Amino acid sequence: MSRVVYIEELPRHVGEEVAIRGWLFNKRSSGKIRFLIVRDGTGFLQCVATVKDTEPESFELCERLPQETSLIVTGTVREDPRAPGGYELLLKRLTTVQVPKEQFPIALKEHGVGFLMDHRHLWIRMRRQFAILRVRDAVMWAIREFFKREGFVATECPIIVGTQVEGTTTLFPLDYFGEPAYLSQSGQLYLEATCMALGKVYWIGPAFRAEKSKTRRHLTEFWMAEAEMAYFDHGDNLALQERLVRYIVEYVIAERKRELEILERDIEALKREVEGPFARVTYREAVEVINSEGVPMEYGDDFGAPAEDALSKHFGRPVFVERFPARIKPFYMKRDPNDPSVALCADLIAPEGYGEIIGGSQRVDSEEELLRQLEEYNLPREPYQWYIDLRKWGSVPHSGFGLGVERTVAWITGVRHIRETIPFPRMLDRLYP
RNA sequence: UCCCCGGUAGCUCAAUUGGCAGAGCAGCCGGCUGUUAACCGGCGGGUUGGAGGUUCGAGUCCUCCCCGGGGAGCCA
């Protein structure tokens, strides 16, 4: 019995006889020599079958097996420049696990988006999706490692909530034993409470927004990495965010180079974008930059997609936009003491038109200010009582932010639409598969 | 919710002014000892999204509906 290994481990087994357990991805034949491309989740491997080296029954099977047959291949690993990836398996024996009776829907040809989305459960087996999802994995690990190194405590937030964070139009309502409840749009309010217990906290969790938006940057269910830090002011907050984003990008480049190559991502461009300090402008300056790029907008408007694109084009690296007019930002953001019309907040706009990847702010820390702002936003006091309560018992300056995982993955991988950056995207009009 | 584009073979698309519904790929059969989405020869494959209308004649024009894609607003 040959040793079972994974494709990504093959460089360590050159010359040995090994077994790979996987699926038939593609095949080519030239009469007496046959090539199988086998995938196993860690990579893709070319297997070479010849009359001389391969057992007759196995050689025969090579010609007949359909795409996505699950199989176990045994043979000798060798280095060969003609093989995609540089290594191949000289096939000795092939045994099938299950042979599909019908044709696999996704051919190795072009397909329309609607067709691919209907077959998302199978589409994720293809090479590009494999690469994207492995980059996503690296992004998740980078976030966890970064926060651990920085001394953060990993925590969790409730997903079923009774209070709202963002606007009322974007909630998914549900019936909680007869009481109205919602799917969480953000864990922020809970993280504010938790950071008063644990100092620096983060979590990576899902967020739900029932917005009827159909764009390449929106999902109704997406993942956020949220952090909240006691005793951090606005400046500390931005410095931390910049370290995080740079860490993620460098981590992915180091760990997932092969995947970025499959995706034909310009790795040098990505490196350059995070090399130096990120750009920082105030909202007021940003409006001028946007206007100078030929996109009309006025002071007081929120940024639309064209405005964000103009900014990212102008700077060519991530850019923080600070101090938005308070009235276009949520109630919990602390006002700038020097100019109470603006909030101590910042959005981080990714390069290359991927839009806002982080939104964050220093939070209101006094009870009076919080009560005043709840009133300004016409929000009821009752459901926020516990949140108000936090300001009564040793309240301190604190700040936090949320990073959108899918938009970050989209930027790093260079994929245009974020629906490809999560295994099963939830979008307007798309609940299956 | 609004604006734009589209729906023809399993998939991706073509079909001139309204005039015989076609090609590539996939599938099946055959060939090829280094292929890289392999290639070469042959074969089968259609309720043109649905309903109604105009017309001698509709894939093509009109009305309504369904579905998909792109974008806007809003946001991460």
Side-chain angles (χ1 to χ4, degrees), chain A residues 38-59:
Chain A
V38 172
R39 58 173 193 86
D40 77 343
T42 72
F44 294 80
L45 171 68
Q46 171 164 286
C47 303
V48 186
T50 69
V51 177
K52 186 163 72 73
D53 306 290
T54 309
E55 294 178 0
E57 316 86 77
S58 298
F59 187 77

Side-chain angles (χ1 to χ4, degrees), chain A residues 290-356:
Chain A
I290 290 160
N291 284 331
S292 76
E293 289 284 335
V295 178
M297 76 168 284
E298 285 178 32
Y299 187 93
D301 294 346
D302 211 337
F303 294 157
E308 286 181 355
D309 292 353
L311 271 179
S312 77
K313 185 177 144 227
H314 183 86
F315 290 99
R317 56 197 158 122
V319 52
F320 284 110
V321 181
E322 299 178 68
R323 294 179 159 80
F324 279 68
R327 58 177 190 77
I328 59 171
K329 288 291 176 184
F331 74 94
Y332 50 73
M333 290 186 176
K334 189 175 176 66
R335 303 285 161 92
D336 185 344
N338 301 318
D339 177 4
S341 78
V342 303
L344 286 176
C345 67
D347 286 356
L348 182 65
I349 313 293
E352 302 175 55
Y354 286 94
E356 182 189 343

Side-chain angles (χ1 to χ4, degrees), chain A residues 187-241:
Chain A
Q188 184 204 310
L189 302 191
Y190 295 93
L191 285 182
E192 284 188 55
T194 314
C195 83
M196 297 302 166
L198 301 169
K200 293 185 288 187
V201 297
Y202 82 97
W203 91 305
I204 305 176
F208 305 89
R209 309 249 169 119
E211 273 153 11
K212 303 211 166 166
S213 47
K214 278 183 66 174
T215 85
R216 65 193 181 90
R217 293 168 175 172
H218 287 85
L219 299 172
T220 53
E221 177 183 293
F222 64 98
W223 286 70
M224 278 205 292
E226 296 181 274
E228 203 68 34
M229 299 75 69
Y231 289 107
F232 268 48
D233 67 13
H234 177 63
D236 299 331
N237 195 17
L238 295 202
L240 180 76
Q241 291 170 36

Side-chain angles (χ1 to χ4, degrees), chain A residues 72-228:
Chain A
I72 298 168
V73 289
T74 307
T76 309
V77 182
R78 62 184 193 190
E79 215 169 340
D80 192 315
R82 291 172 296 186
Y87 296 89
E88 63 182 18
L89 191 80
L90 185 60
L91 188 72
K92 183 178 168 194
R93 188 183 316 117
L94 181 164
T95 56
T96 61
V97 179
Q98 192 252 327
V99 181
K101 293 184 178 65
E102 294 168 55
Q103 187 188 143
F104 190 65
I106 304 179
L108 304 174
K109 299 284 169 186
E110 62 300 351
H111 293 283
V113 173
F115 176 84
L116 289 171
M117 287 304 299
D118 288 342
H119 295 85
R120 182 62 179 169
H121 54 298
L122 303 175
W123 185 22
I124 52 179
R125 300 183 183 194
M126 308 311 281
R127 199 188 296 266
R128 271 180 61 83
Q129 304 307 312
F130 157 90
I132 295 166
L133 294 179
R134 283 176 61 95
V135 168
R136 181 187 172 101
D137 160 71
V139 167
M140 291 297 222
W141 277 110
I143 293 167
R144 293 180 186 117
E145 281 191 14
F146 173 82
F147 281 122
K148 187 166 174 60
R149 283 175 176 219
E150 293 266 344
F152 279 62
V153 175
T155 185
E156 282 75 34
C157 297
I159 287 168
I160 301 171
V161 295
T163 46
Q164 57 178 67
V165 178
E166 312 289 341
T168 46
T169 56
T170 63
L171 297 163
F172 278 111
L174 65 106
D175 177 6
Y176 194 74
F177 305 111
E179 214 179 311
Y182 308 96
L183 292 177
S184 173
Q185 299 170 298
S186 160
Q188 184 204 310
L189 302 191
Y190 295 93
L191 285 182
E192 284 188 55
T194 314
C195 83
M196 297 302 166
L198 301 169
K200 293 185 288 187
V201 297
Y202 82 97
W203 91 305
I204 305 176
F208 305 89
R209 309 249 169 119
E211 273 153 11
K212 303 211 166 166
S213 47
K214 278 183 66 174
T215 85
R216 65 193 181 90
R217 293 168 175 172
H218 287 85
L219 299 172
T220 53
E221 177 183 293
F222 64 98
W223 286 70
M224 278 205 292
E226 296 181 274
E228 203 68 34

